[in-house]
DNA sequence: ATTGAAACGGATCTAGC
DNA sequence: GCTAGATCCGTTTCAAT
């Protein structure tokens, strides 16, 4: 959906605290729908959410201002760009002091082929997902960009044979009190103290 | 940006082969821009791409029909939903036959907390990224959903301390002949056989 | 104050050159 | 392929609860 003044609004959004305001059912529904397809019209949104277009517009505006909805983006088919190879790299640094971490993160953040980077617990310090056309390109990335970062001690690369699932849609089931969403609601642990006695 | 007939068009898109049609500079530019912000208007797009709004509209339409642009989605702040914990799980199956793999993938694909799943080379069979509110919820996911999948032999969980980088924007530098994008164009290996001799 | 409806203005889409 | 016009929809305003 087109959000005309999104950019202006983002300004004030940053200043606001990310208040963990409880999200009401309308917000949750809108988030779910917009995560699936943000090109949906207000009319369709309103119908699917069981609300008026006005309500939906106002709520979306608020969700954007408060930074819950950060932006909308086009999802591109990686294969169409020839980017069929996913590589996970576990990176170990020589020293884990603040400066070393910052230096690494800054260098990594600028590399467009690095889709994700996580500071990890356990054996390795960082886990990266890198997307490339082929192994030759990956090799160039490692040699030209990874190993040139000061303090990088060790690399361990794992190659993905297939991307089984990839979604940008965060789960929302936990936001509703009960009645899970993508779930046939298997069996939920009773809320402590409500163990069935008489009904049995 | 609003794409009115997106849904109808998607139908024919699927039938078409994902032709690795060479992408011209306009398409590349549009992809870059739409990956950053799909709420941008046609006018802005056209200006940034150095083309008319009509050209851009037609090209976008084509990119959507051919499935290069799959859809647009809202990007949500995970923290706003309380989803601050990222876990990577390496899963090993007892047997790697077709049936076992399919069964696992089907079960995993339906779990909304699984954001990504890759079939891997190397020691483990699958690598998952799971997003949850806290460790308790992760524990429930493992017990209720992962270990209940038949054929799962071994799990190895690694916890992310911080999400340093996360982007949905695929790199595009490789699509252009030369002149890299997010790059000050450091030093490119000459194309084999053009080693400088006389110029030196 | 909050909500819905309806008019407005601007952007998308299309047809004609 | 570009320009200009018709149409649609996000945005705003206003009235009613």
């Amino acid at each position: 959906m087109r959000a005309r003044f999104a950019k202006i609004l983002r300004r004030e959004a940053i200043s606001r605290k990310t208040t963990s305001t409880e999200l009401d059912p309308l917000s949750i529904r809108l988030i779910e729908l917009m995560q699936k397809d943000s090109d949906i019209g207000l009319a369709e949104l309103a119908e699917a959410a069981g609300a008026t277009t006005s309500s939906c517009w106002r709520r979306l505006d608020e969700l954007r201002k408060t930074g819950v909805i950060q932006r909308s983006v086009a999802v591109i088919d990686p294969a169409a760009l020839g980017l069929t190879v996913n590589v996970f790299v576990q990176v170990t640094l020589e020293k884990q002091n603040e400066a070393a971490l910052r230096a690494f993160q800054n260098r990594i953040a600028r590399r467009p082929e690095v889709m994700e980077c996580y500071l990890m617990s356990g054996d390795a310090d960082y886990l990266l997902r890198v997307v490339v056309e082929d192994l030759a390109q990956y090799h160039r990335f490692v040699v030209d960009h990874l190993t040139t970062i000061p303090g990088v001690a060790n690399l361990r690369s794992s190659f993905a044979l297939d991307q089984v699932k990839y979604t940008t849609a965060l789960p929302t089931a936990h936001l509703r009190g009960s009645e899970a969403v993508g779930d046939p609601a298997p069996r939920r642990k009773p809320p402590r103290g409500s163990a069935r006695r008489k009904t049995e």
Side-chain angles (χ1 to χ4, degrees), chain A:
Chain A
M1 174 169 342
R2 184 75 212 286
R4 245 176 255 170
F5 300 126
K7 248 164 258 166
I8 300 152
L9 299 176
R10 203 146 305 143
R11 289 276 165 78
E12 20 179 326
I14 292 165
S15 62
R16 294 196 189 198
K17 204 179 215 170
T18 307
T19 50
S20 35
T21 315
E22 282 310 312
L23 296 163
D24 65 24
L26 176 57
S27 295
I28 296 171
R29 194 87 191 92
L30 292 178
I31 289 170
E32 289 171 350
L33 293 164
M34 294 287 286
Q35 277 193 321
K36 281 206 293 224
D37 181 3
S38 66
D39 276 340
I40 187 177
L42 264 185
E44 272 186 80
L45 255 191
E47 188 184 349
T52 65
T53 56
S54 295
S55 319
C56 289
W57 186 87
R58 273 196 264 268
R59 187 56 58 84
L60 279 179
D61 190 43
E62 185 189 313
L63 289 170
R64 282 194 260 252
K65 280 187 197 169
T66 54
V68 176
I69 296 179
Q70 297 180 325
R71 64 194 184 286
S72 290
V73 299
V75 177
I76 306 295
D77 176 18
L81 306 190
L83 298 169
T84 51
V85 177
N86 277 283
V87 189
F88 287 87
V89 203
Q90 289 174 292
V91 181
T92 309
L93 300 187
E94 284 159 5
K95 297 180 177 178
Q96 287 79 26
N97 58 54
E98 183 86 9
L101 298 182
R102 278 205 182 282
F104 179 80
Q105 296 185 14
N106 279 331
R107 290 284 293 269
I108 276 311
R110 298 185 192 290
R111 294 304 316 165
E113 56 272 74
V114 177
M115 301 293 291
E116 306 176 54
C117 174
Y118 298 86
L119 178 64
M120 299 297 292
S121 66
D123 22 57
D125 292 313
Y126 286 102
L127 178 62
L128 317 185
R129 178 167 68 93
V130 179
V131 62
V132 286
E133 287 184 283
D134 49 42
L135 291 189
Q137 201 186 320
Y138 179 66
H139 182 231
R140 259 184 285 141
F141 165 73
V142 170
V143 172
D144 293 349
H145 299 292
L146 258 191
T147 61
T148 58
I149 301 176
V152 168
N154 194 270
L155 296 182
R156 178 171 171 76
S157 305
S158 305
F159 299 90
L161 305 176
D162 191 23
Q163 189 173 49
V164 174
K165 181 179 185 179
Y166 174 77
T167 184
T168 56
L170 296 165
T172 52
H174 66 289
L175 298 173
R176 305 187 196 282
S178 63
E179 57 168 345
V181 181
D183 246 15
R187 214 171 295 110
R188 196 159 300 278
K189 191 183 291 178
R192 260 276 169 241
S194 69
R196 41 174 159 71
R197 255 172 258 145
K198 300 175 182 172
T199 53
E200 175 67 343

